[in-house]
mmCIF file of all heavy atoms in Angstrom:
data_model
loop_
_atom_site.group_PDB
_atom_site.id
_atom_site.type_symbol
_atom_site.label_atom_id
_atom_site.label_comp_id
_atom_site.label_asym_id
_atom_site.label_seq_id
_atom_site.Cartn_x
_atom_site.Cartn_y
_atom_site.Cartn_z
ATOM 1 N N CYS A 991 -13.096 10.188 -4.215
ATOM 2 C CA CYS A 991 -12.431 8.928 -3.832
ATOM 3 C C CYS A 991 -11.741 8.287 -5.021
ATOM 4 O O CYS A 991 -10.662 7.656 -4.895
ATOM 5 C CB CYS A 991 -13.426 7.936 -3.217
ATOM 6 S SG CYS A 991 -13.817 8.419 -1.506
ATOM 7 N N VAL A 992 -12.263 8.429 -6.210
ATOM 8 C CA VAL A 992 -11.551 7.951 -7.418
ATOM 9 C C VAL A 992 -10.256 8.732 -7.585
ATOM 10 O O VAL A 992 -9.212 8.145 -7.825
ATOM 11 C CB VAL A 992 -12.475 8.098 -8.668
ATOM 12 C CG1 VAL A 992 -11.675 7.854 -9.956
ATOM 13 C CG2 VAL A 992 -13.635 7.124 -8.585
ATOM 14 N N ILE A 993 -10.337 10.018 -7.431
ATOM 15 C CA ILE A 993 -9.147 10.851 -7.511
ATOM 16 C C ILE A 993 -8.142 10.467 -6.406
ATOM 17 O O ILE A 993 -6.946 10.303 -6.653
ATOM 18 C CB ILE A 993 -9.482 12.349 -7.473
ATOM 19 C CG1 ILE A 993 -10.242 12.766 -8.735
ATOM 20 C CG2 ILE A 993 -8.239 13.243 -7.238
ATOM 21 C CD1 ILE A 993 -10.766 14.167 -8.714
ATOM 22 N N ALA A 994 -8.669 10.256 -5.214
ATOM 23 C CA ALA A 994 -7.805 9.887 -4.062
ATOM 24 C C ALA A 994 -7.125 8.534 -4.327
ATOM 25 O O ALA A 994 -5.945 8.379 -4.023
ATOM 26 C CB ALA A 994 -8.625 9.774 -2.781
ATOM 27 N N ARG A 995 -7.849 7.614 -4.942
ATOM 28 C CA ARG A 995 -7.215 6.275 -5.254
ATOM 29 C C ARG A 995 -6.032 6.485 -6.150
ATOM 30 O O ARG A 995 -4.968 5.878 -5.948
ATOM 31 C CB ARG A 995 -8.271 5.405 -5.934
ATOM 32 C CG ARG A 995 -7.736 4.073 -6.304
ATOM 33 C CD ARG A 995 -8.854 3.200 -6.935
ATOM 34 N NE ARG A 995 -8.259 2.105 -7.624
ATOM 35 C CZ ARG A 995 -7.932 2.089 -8.895
ATOM 36 N NH1 ARG A 995 -8.192 3.129 -9.657
ATOM 37 N NH2 ARG A 995 -7.434 1.008 -9.453
ATOM 38 N N TYR A 996 -6.155 7.342 -7.174
ATOM 39 C CA TYR A 996 -5.029 7.503 -8.105
ATOM 40 C C TYR A 996 -3.882 8.273 -7.355
ATOM 41 O O TYR A 996 -2.685 8.017 -7.634
ATOM 42 C CB TYR A 996 -5.433 8.264 -9.345
ATOM 43 C CG TYR A 996 -6.222 7.333 -10.262
ATOM 44 C CD1 TYR A 996 -7.583 7.431 -10.423
ATOM 45 C CD2 TYR A 996 -5.554 6.321 -10.966
ATOM 46 C CE1 TYR A 996 -8.258 6.584 -11.256
ATOM 47 C CE2 TYR A 996 -6.187 5.473 -11.787
ATOM 48 C CZ TYR A 996 -7.584 5.594 -11.943
ATOM 49 O OH TYR A 996 -8.266 4.711 -12.752
ATOM 50 N N LYS A 997 -4.236 9.145 -6.464
ATOM 51 C CA LYS A 997 -3.193 9.806 -5.680
ATOM 52 C C LYS A 997 -2.455 8.834 -4.763
ATOM 53 O O LYS A 997 -1.270 8.989 -4.523
ATOM 54 C CB LYS A 997 -3.780 11.010 -4.854
ATOM 55 C CG LYS A 997 -4.229 12.150 -5.772
ATOM 56 C CD LYS A 997 -3.044 12.683 -6.573
ATOM 57 C CE LYS A 997 -3.438 13.742 -7.496
ATOM 58 N NZ LYS A 997 -2.304 14.242 -8.314
ATOM 59 N N VAL A 998 -3.189 7.876 -4.194
ATOM 60 C CA VAL A 998 -2.546 6.827 -3.389
ATOM 61 C C VAL A 998 -1.587 6.011 -4.222
ATOM 62 O O VAL A 998 -0.460 5.763 -3.785
ATOM 63 C CB VAL A 998 -3.594 5.920 -2.705
ATOM 64 C CG1 VAL A 998 -2.948 4.683 -2.132
ATOM 65 C CG2 VAL A 998 -4.363 6.682 -1.600
ATOM 66 N N LEU A 999 -2.053 5.642 -5.402
ATOM 67 C CA LEU A 999 -1.173 4.861 -6.296
ATOM 68 C C LEU A 999 0.088 5.651 -6.621
ATOM 69 O O LEU A 999 1.172 5.091 -6.613
ATOM 70 C CB LEU A 999 -1.932 4.498 -7.594
ATOM 71 C CG LEU A 999 -2.983 3.407 -7.459
ATOM 72 C CD1 LEU A 999 -3.836 3.314 -8.731
ATOM 73 C CD2 LEU A 999 -2.403 2.061 -7.106
ATOM 74 N N SER A 1000 -0.078 6.906 -6.905
ATOM 75 C CA SER A 1000 1.082 7.793 -7.231
ATOM 76 C C SER A 1000 2.012 7.897 -6.019
ATOM 77 O O SER A 1000 3.222 7.786 -6.112
ATOM 78 C CB SER A 1000 0.568 9.185 -7.630
ATOM 79 O OG SER A 1000 1.630 10.037 -7.826
ATOM 80 N N TRP A 1001 1.418 8.080 -4.818
ATOM 81 C CA TRP A 1001 2.241 8.177 -3.594
ATOM 82 C C TRP A 1001 2.996 6.870 -3.370
ATOM 83 O O TRP A 1001 4.147 6.886 -3.008
ATOM 84 C CB TRP A 1001 1.310 8.510 -2.386
ATOM 85 C CG TRP A 1001 2.050 8.817 -1.154
ATOM 86 C CD1 TRP A 1001 2.540 10.043 -0.789
ATOM 87 C CD2 TRP A 1001 2.416 7.911 -0.097
ATOM 88 N NE1 TRP A 1001 3.149 9.931 0.419
ATOM 89 C CE2 TRP A 1001 3.109 8.633 0.866
ATOM 90 C CE3 TRP A 1001 2.229 6.557 0.099
ATOM 91 C CZ2 TRP A 1001 3.623 8.093 2.038
ATOM 92 C CZ3 TRP A 1001 2.724 5.980 1.264
ATOM 93 C CH2 TRP A 1001 3.428 6.734 2.195
ATOM 94 N N GLN A 1002 2.301 5.747 -3.581
ATOM 95 C CA GLN A 1002 2.931 4.426 -3.401
ATOM 96 C C GLN A 1002 4.105 4.243 -4.417
ATOM 97 O O GLN A 1002 5.136 3.719 -4.045
ATOM 98 C CB GLN A 1002 1.914 3.297 -3.592
ATOM 99 C CG GLN A 1002 0.871 3.276 -2.510
ATOM 100 C CD GLN A 1002 1.276 2.391 -1.363
ATOM 101 O OE1 GLN A 1002 2.188 2.690 -0.646
ATOM 102 N NE2 GLN A 1002 0.532 1.305 -1.215
ATOM 103 N N ARG A 1003 3.835 4.623 -5.662
ATOM 104 C CA ARG A 1003 4.879 4.484 -6.689
ATOM 105 C C ARG A 1003 6.101 5.326 -6.323
ATOM 106 O O ARG A 1003 7.246 4.841 -6.490
ATOM 107 C CB ARG A 1003 4.309 4.928 -8.051
ATOM 108 C CG ARG A 1003 4.379 3.879 -9.096
ATOM 109 C CD ARG A 1003 3.941 4.351 -10.463
ATOM 110 N NE ARG A 1003 2.830 5.303 -10.476
ATOM 111 C CZ ARG A 1003 1.553 5.003 -10.480
ATOM 112 N NH1 ARG A 1003 1.203 3.758 -10.433
ATOM 113 N NH2 ARG A 1003 0.626 5.961 -10.528
ATOM 114 N N ASP A 1004 5.897 6.509 -5.820
ATOM 115 C CA ASP A 1004 7.005 7.397 -5.445
ATOM 116 C C ASP A 1004 7.829 6.796 -4.273
ATOM 117 O O ASP A 1004 8.982 7.122 -4.119
ATOM 118 C CB ASP A 1004 6.499 8.765 -5.005
ATOM 119 C CG ASP A 1004 5.924 9.547 -6.195
ATOM 120 O OD1 ASP A 1004 6.106 9.131 -7.364
ATOM 121 O OD2 ASP A 1004 5.241 10.576 -5.937
ATOM 122 N N ARG A 1005 7.189 5.951 -3.486
ATOM 123 C CA ARG A 1005 7.889 5.343 -2.367
ATOM 124 C C ARG A 1005 8.042 3.853 -2.571
ATOM 125 O O ARG A 1005 8.114 3.075 -1.614
ATOM 126 C CB ARG A 1005 7.105 5.594 -1.056
ATOM 127 C CG ARG A 1005 7.366 6.970 -0.576
ATOM 128 C CD ARG A 1005 6.078 7.599 -0.066
ATOM 129 N NE ARG A 1005 6.196 9.029 0.137
ATOM 130 C CZ ARG A 1005 5.956 9.979 -0.783
ATOM 131 N NH1 ARG A 1005 5.543 9.597 -1.947
ATOM 132 N NH2 ARG A 1005 6.091 11.230 -0.518
ATOM 133 N N GLY A 1006 8.196 3.413 -3.799
ATOM 134 C CA GLY A 1006 8.280 2.020 -4.154
ATOM 135 C C GLY A 1006 9.395 1.225 -3.510
ATOM 136 O O GLY A 1006 9.365 0.028 -3.361
ATOM 137 N N ARG A 1007 10.440 1.900 -3.107
ATOM 138 C CA ARG A 1007 11.525 1.200 -2.497
ATOM 139 C C ARG A 1007 11.311 0.913 -1.010
ATOM 140 O O ARG A 1007 12.011 0.162 -0.406
ATOM 141 C CB ARG A 1007 12.840 1.918 -2.721
ATOM 142 C CG ARG A 1007 12.835 3.356 -2.224
ATOM 143 C CD ARG A 1007 14.134 4.090 -2.649
ATOM 144 N NE ARG A 1007 14.091 5.435 -2.158
ATOM 145 C CZ ARG A 1007 13.464 6.408 -2.785
ATOM 146 N NH1 ARG A 1007 12.884 6.214 -3.933
ATOM 147 N NH2 ARG A 1007 13.482 7.622 -2.279
ATOM 148 N N ASP A 1008 10.229 1.525 -0.412
ATOM 149 C CA ASP A 1008 9.914 1.215 0.975
ATOM 150 C C ASP A 1008 9.347 -0.210 1.052
ATOM 151 O O ASP A 1008 8.754 -0.728 0.104
ATOM 152 C CB ASP A 1008 8.848 2.204 1.514
ATOM 153 C CG ASP A 1008 9.362 3.594 1.632
ATOM 154 O OD1 ASP A 1008 10.619 3.772 1.577
ATOM 155 O OD2 ASP A 1008 8.542 4.539 1.831
ATOM 156 N N ARG A 1009 9.513 -0.825 2.180
ATOM 157 C CA ARG A 1009 9.063 -2.201 2.352
ATOM 158 C C ARG A 1009 7.526 -2.243 2.547
ATOM 159 O O ARG A 1009 6.920 -3.202 2.181
ATOM 160 C CB ARG A 1009 9.753 -2.887 3.538
ATOM 161 C CG ARG A 1009 11.173 -3.250 3.233
ATOM 162 C CD ARG A 1009 11.811 -3.944 4.373
ATOM 163 N NE ARG A 1009 11.926 -3.040 5.487
ATOM 164 C CZ ARG A 1009 11.863 -3.394 6.775
ATOM 165 N NH1 ARG A 1009 11.688 -4.628 7.080
ATOM 166 N NH2 ARG A 1009 11.987 -2.508 7.733
ATOM 167 N N LEU A 1010 6.955 -1.258 3.158
ATOM 168 C CA LEU A 1010 5.537 -1.271 3.485
ATOM 169 C C LEU A 1010 4.725 -0.541 2.414
ATOM 170 O O LEU A 1010 4.081 0.478 2.683
ATOM 171 C CB LEU A 1010 5.272 -0.647 4.822
ATOM 172 C CG LEU A 1010 5.728 -1.448 6.044
ATOM 173 C CD1 LEU A 1010 5.572 -0.665 7.299
ATOM 174 C CD2 LEU A 1010 4.977 -2.783 6.109
ATOM 175 N N VAL A 1011 4.743 -1.076 1.187
ATOM 176 C CA VAL A 1011 3.972 -0.473 0.075
ATOM 177 C C VAL A 1011 3.099 -1.567 -0.543
ATOM 178 O O VAL A 1011 3.612 -2.643 -0.833
ATOM 179 C CB VAL A 1011 4.926 0.170 -0.970
ATOM 180 C CG1 VAL A 1011 4.156 0.622 -2.160
ATOM 181 C CG2 VAL A 1011 5.710 1.305 -0.356
ATOM 182 N N PHE A 1012 1.838 -1.307 -0.668
ATOM 183 C CA PHE A 1012 0.942 -2.306 -1.284
ATOM 184 C C PHE A 1012 1.127 -2.338 -2.812
ATOM 185 O O PHE A 1012 1.378 -1.305 -3.412
ATOM 186 C CB PHE A 1012 -0.548 -1.971 -1.005
ATOM 187 C CG PHE A 1012 -0.911 -2.139 0.431
ATOM 188 C CD1 PHE A 1012 -1.834 -1.278 1.004
ATOM 189 C CD2 PHE A 1012 -0.450 -3.229 1.170
ATOM 190 C CE1 PHE A 1012 -2.246 -1.437 2.347
ATOM 191 C CE2 PHE A 1012 -0.843 -3.414 2.497
ATOM 192 C CZ PHE A 1012 -1.734 -2.510 3.054
ATOM 193 N N ARG A 1013 0.951 -3.501 -3.395
ATOM 194 C CA ARG A 1013 0.949 -3.609 -4.866
ATOM 195 C C ARG A 1013 -0.364 -3.005 -5.360
ATOM 196 O O ARG A 1013 -1.363 -2.942 -4.664
ATOM 197 C CB ARG A 1013 1.058 -5.055 -5.284
ATOM 198 C CG ARG A 1013 2.497 -5.566 -5.128
ATOM 199 C CD ARG A 1013 2.653 -6.970 -5.590
ATOM 200 N NE ARG A 1013 2.220 -7.807 -4.434
ATOM 201 C CZ ARG A 1013 1.656 -8.994 -4.578
ATOM 202 N NH1 ARG A 1013 1.518 -9.543 -5.741
ATOM 203 N NH2 ARG A 1013 1.334 -9.664 -3.495
ATOM 204 N N GLU A 1014 -0.379 -2.650 -6.644
ATOM 205 C CA GLU A 1014 -1.542 -2.021 -7.220
ATOM 206 C C GLU A 1014 -2.796 -2.858 -7.116
ATOM 207 O O GLU A 1014 -3.881 -2.346 -6.876
ATOM 208 C CB GLU A 1014 -1.231 -1.636 -8.715
ATOM 209 C CG GLU A 1014 -2.257 -0.683 -9.274
ATOM 210 C CD GLU A 1014 -1.808 -0.135 -10.621
ATOM 211 O OE1 GLU A 1014 -0.598 0.000 -10.880
ATOM 212 O OE2 GLU A 1014 -2.715 0.174 -11.417
ATOM 213 N N GLY A 1015 -2.657 -4.164 -7.309
ATOM 214 C CA GLY A 1015 -3.814 -5.070 -7.226
ATOM 215 C C GLY A 1015 -4.444 -5.000 -5.836
ATOM 216 O O GLY A 1015 -5.640 -5.072 -5.664
ATOM 217 N N VAL A 1016 -3.591 -4.928 -4.813
ATOM 218 C CA VAL A 1016 -4.078 -4.894 -3.420
ATOM 219 C C VAL A 1016 -4.820 -3.580 -3.193
ATOM 220 O O VAL A 1016 -5.904 -3.579 -2.613
ATOM 221 C CB VAL A 1016 -2.929 -5.072 -2.437
ATOM 222 C CG1 VAL A 1016 -3.403 -4.814 -1.010
ATOM 223 C CG2 VAL A 1016 -2.289 -6.392 -2.575
ATOM 224 N N ILE A 1017 -4.285 -2.513 -3.711
ATOM 225 C CA ILE A 1017 -4.943 -1.191 -3.604
ATOM 226 C C ILE A 1017 -6.279 -1.224 -4.289
ATOM 227 O O ILE A 1017 -7.257 -0.675 -3.781
ATOM 228 C CB ILE A 1017 -4.029 -0.053 -4.094
ATOM 229 C CG1 ILE A 1017 -2.856 0.132 -3.128
ATOM 230 C CG2 ILE A 1017 -4.818 1.235 -4.225
ATOM 231 C CD1 ILE A 1017 -1.850 1.173 -3.589
ATOM 232 N N ASP A 1018 -6.357 -1.834 -5.464
ATOM 233 C CA ASP A 1018 -7.658 -1.948 -6.177
ATOM 234 C C ASP A 1018 -8.679 -2.679 -5.313
ATOM 235 O O ASP A 1018 -9.822 -2.241 -5.219
ATOM 236 C CB ASP A 1018 -7.485 -2.679 -7.506
ATOM 237 C CG ASP A 1018 -6.794 -1.816 -8.570
ATOM 238 O OD1 ASP A 1018 -6.732 -0.595 -8.387
ATOM 239 O OD2 ASP A 1018 -6.272 -2.390 -9.556
ATOM 240 N N GLN A 1019 -8.287 -3.817 -4.735
ATOM 241 C CA GLN A 1019 -9.200 -4.538 -3.889
ATOM 242 C C GLN A 1019 -9.626 -3.729 -2.645
ATOM 243 O O GLN A 1019 -10.814 -3.709 -2.270
ATOM 244 C CB GLN A 1019 -8.600 -5.872 -3.447
ATOM 245 C CG GLN A 1019 -8.496 -6.856 -4.619
ATOM 246 C CD GLN A 1019 -7.821 -8.166 -4.186
ATOM 247 O OE1 GLN A 1019 -7.140 -8.223 -3.147
ATOM 248 N NE2 GLN A 1019 -8.027 -9.184 -4.983
ATOM 249 N N LEU A 1020 -8.644 -3.096 -2.018
ATOM 250 C CA LEU A 1020 -8.974 -2.265 -0.858
ATOM 251 C C LEU A 1020 -9.921 -1.117 -1.244
ATOM 252 O O LEU A 1020 -10.827 -0.768 -0.486
ATOM 253 C CB LEU A 1020 -7.687 -1.725 -0.229
ATOM 254 C CG LEU A 1020 -6.784 -2.700 0.479
ATOM 255 C CD1 LEU A 1020 -5.451 -2.072 0.838
ATOM 256 C CD2 LEU A 1020 -7.475 -3.271 1.724
ATOM 257 N N ALA A 1021 -9.697 -0.536 -2.424
ATOM 258 C CA ALA A 1021 -10.526 0.580 -2.851
ATOM 259 C C ALA A 1021 -11.959 0.142 -3.075
ATOM 260 O O ALA A 1021 -12.906 0.825 -2.704
ATOM 261 C CB ALA A 1021 -9.927 1.213 -4.166
ATOM 262 N N GLN A 1022 -12.131 -1.065 -3.686
ATOM 263 C CA GLN A 1022 -13.500 -1.519 -3.899
ATOM 264 C C GLN A 1022 -14.202 -1.776 -2.570
ATOM 265 O O GLN A 1022 -15.381 -1.382 -2.427
ATOM 266 C CB GLN A 1022 -13.470 -2.826 -4.699
ATOM 267 C CG GLN A 1022 -13.022 -2.641 -6.161
ATOM 268 C CD GLN A 1022 -12.801 -3.929 -6.896
ATOM 269 O OE1 GLN A 1022 -12.970 -5.007 -6.346
ATOM 270 N NE2 GLN A 1022 -12.374 -3.804 -8.163
#
């Protein structure tokens, strides 16, 4: 799940121009 979290961040970064992308802080809270 730690690896998956980083893969989600990477996937989100790659699609940063999409409107439905969470900020990194939101992903951290969701991950916890």
Side-chain angles (χ1 to χ4, degrees):
C991 284
V992 168
I993 291 172
R995 179 178 163 266
Y996 286 106
K997 290 300 176 182
V998 166
L999 288 170
S1000 175
W1001 188 86
Q1002 293 270 66
R1003 237 184 326 272
D1004 292 347
R1005 281 140 193 91
R1007 55 188 179 277
D1008 291 347
R1009 287 184 293 149
L1010 289 175
V1011 174
F1012 290 143
R1013 284 182 276 152
E1014 193 168 331
V1016 173
I1017 290 178
D1018 286 343
Q1019 289 177 341
L1020 290 170
Q1022 289 171 3

